[in-house]
Amino acid sequence: METLRKRNKILLFVLAALCALSLILGVTALAPAPERAFAEEGDVIEVQFNGETTTYTTVKDALAYTDEQETSEQNRAVIKLLDNYVLGANGDDSWFEVGSDTFATLDLNGYILWGSGSGFVIRVYGDMILKDSQSESTAEEHQHNYYVDESGLWMFDDGSAEWQAAYDAAENKGSITGGIITGGDSSNYGGGIYLGLYGASGGGILTMNGGTIAGNQAEWGGGGVFVNRNTG
């Protein structure tokens, strides 16, 4: 009997030691891991339509899906950024385009949509609402530093050592909270957003409910927004 008691004590000691070790290692075999409440790694944009949400690694794929949907003024596709994004990289389109039959809302969600540096950032032939659901965010990822270069252009933090050096040396600099459209550089019209002449409504329509358009330029005019209309 005494031997059995000793064995039980040893067994309890071993079990206690194993439990302690599992806690140290972060092992939780008794409870399943919680589901991820954020986009998978690499996803930078999502589309919400008809109660469904799909995520994508490129703007090109997100817009292709949006163009396939039967959107309307009452039933828009909501396109939301999940991170800062540079157009034209990784085989993506050089600009963000809303087709002539598309009704969409672009939610910058506190992030920066950068142009490719060649042409406008966004071209609209359909109907687009621009908004920013993180315009009052205090999160660090939604705070964007900039400096003003010699030409008067706002230059936002791109994470490079060159930008940091210029920022440190600049006299005119600041910070913006929330989503930004920047980096457009057009050789003709419309650096930030270009509203096309053709479309179901006689041309692209933009309703701006939020976001910032800054740091864009165009050689002939409309550095921020250009509206192309036939008035003849």
Side-chain angles (χ1 to χ4, degrees), residues 106 108 127-132 179-181 193 195 205-214 224-225:
L106 172 59
L108 295 173
D127 188 314
M128 188 184 87
I129 296 175
L130 180 64
K131 62 175 286 189
D132 179 21
I180 301 166
I181 294 170
I193 299 179
L195 300 181
I205 296 175
L206 171 67
T207 302
M208 189 169 176
N209 293 337
T212 299
I213 304 172
V225 178

Side-chain angles (χ1 to χ4, degrees), residues 121-142:
V121 183
I122 298 175
R123 180 165 65 182
V124 181
Y125 284 121
D127 188 314
M128 188 184 87
I129 296 175
L130 180 64
K131 62 175 286 189
D132 179 21
S133 59
Q134 299 293 340
S135 60
E136 299 180 1
S137 172
T138 58
E140 184 177 354
E141 62 188 307
H142 301 142

Side-chain angles (χ1 to χ4, degrees), residues 2 10 50 71-72 85 98 111-112 118-119 126 145 154 163 186 200 203 215:
E2 188 66 26
I10 293 172
N50 278 346
T71 58
S72 67
Y85 191 76
V98 177
Y111 296 108
I112 297 180
S118 177
N145 293 333
W154 290 25
W163 182 93
S186 175

Side-chain angles (χ1 to χ4, degrees), residues 24-205:
I24 293 171
L25 296 176
V27 178
T28 53
L30 299 178
E35 293 184 6
R36 296 178 65 177
F38 48 87
E40 295 293 333
E41 184 178 357
D43 289 338
V44 295
I45 192 167
E46 72 175 29
V47 180
Q48 302 169 9
F49 185 68
N50 278 346
E52 295 185 359
T53 300
T54 52
T55 57
Y56 300 90
T57 57
T58 65
V59 165
K60 179 179 181 179
D61 291 338
L63 293 178
Y65 169 79
T66 302
D67 287 342
E68 294 173 354
Q69 311 311 309
E70 295 183 4
T71 58
S72 67
E73 188 172 1
Q74 294 74 31
N75 190 26
R76 294 175 176 269
V78 178
I79 305 169
K80 178 186 289 188
L81 290 183
L82 303 177
D83 202 347
N84 298 323
Y85 191 76
V86 181
L87 292 162
N90 302 318
D92 203 355
D93 291 337
S94 297
W95 59 79
F96 182 110
E97 180 162 312
V98 177
S100 60
D101 296 324
T102 299
F103 292 81
T105 295
L106 172 59
D107 183 358
L108 295 173
N109 196 31
Y111 296 108
I112 297 180
L113 180 61
W114 256 292
S116 64
S118 177
F120 34 73
V121 183
I122 298 175
R123 180 165 65 182
V124 181
Y125 284 121
D127 188 314
M128 188 184 87
I129 296 175
L130 180 64
K131 62 175 286 189
D132 179 21
S133 59
Q134 299 293 340
S135 60
E136 299 180 1
S137 172
T138 58
E140 184 177 354
E141 62 188 307
H142 301 142
Q143 316 304 313
H144 308 291
N145 293 333
Y146 70 89
Y147 70 88
V148 181
D149 70 7
E150 294 179 353
S151 68
L153 197 66
W154 290 25
M155 307 296 291
F156 289 92
D157 187 359
D158 61 5
S160 67
E162 292 80 3
W163 182 93
Q164 189 62 53
Y167 174 81
D168 292 339
E171 295 183 0
N172 192 354
K173 52 190 172 183
S175 180
I176 287 180
T177 297
I180 301 166
I181 294 170
T182 192
D185 188 0
S186 175
S187 60
N188 42 68
Y189 295 107
I193 299 179
Y194 179 98
L195 300 181
L197 175 61
Y198 306 104
S201 301
I205 296 175

Side-chain angles (χ1 to χ4, degrees), residues 4-35:
L4 181 59
R5 287 178 180 175
K6 289 182 178 180
R7 287 179 179 175
N8 288 339
K9 288 181 179 181
I10 293 172
L11 180 59
L12 288 173
F13 176 79
V14 172
L15 288 174
L18 289 174
C19 289
L21 180 61
S22 67
L23 290 175
I24 293 171
L25 296 176
V27 178
T28 53
L30 299 178
E35 293 184 6

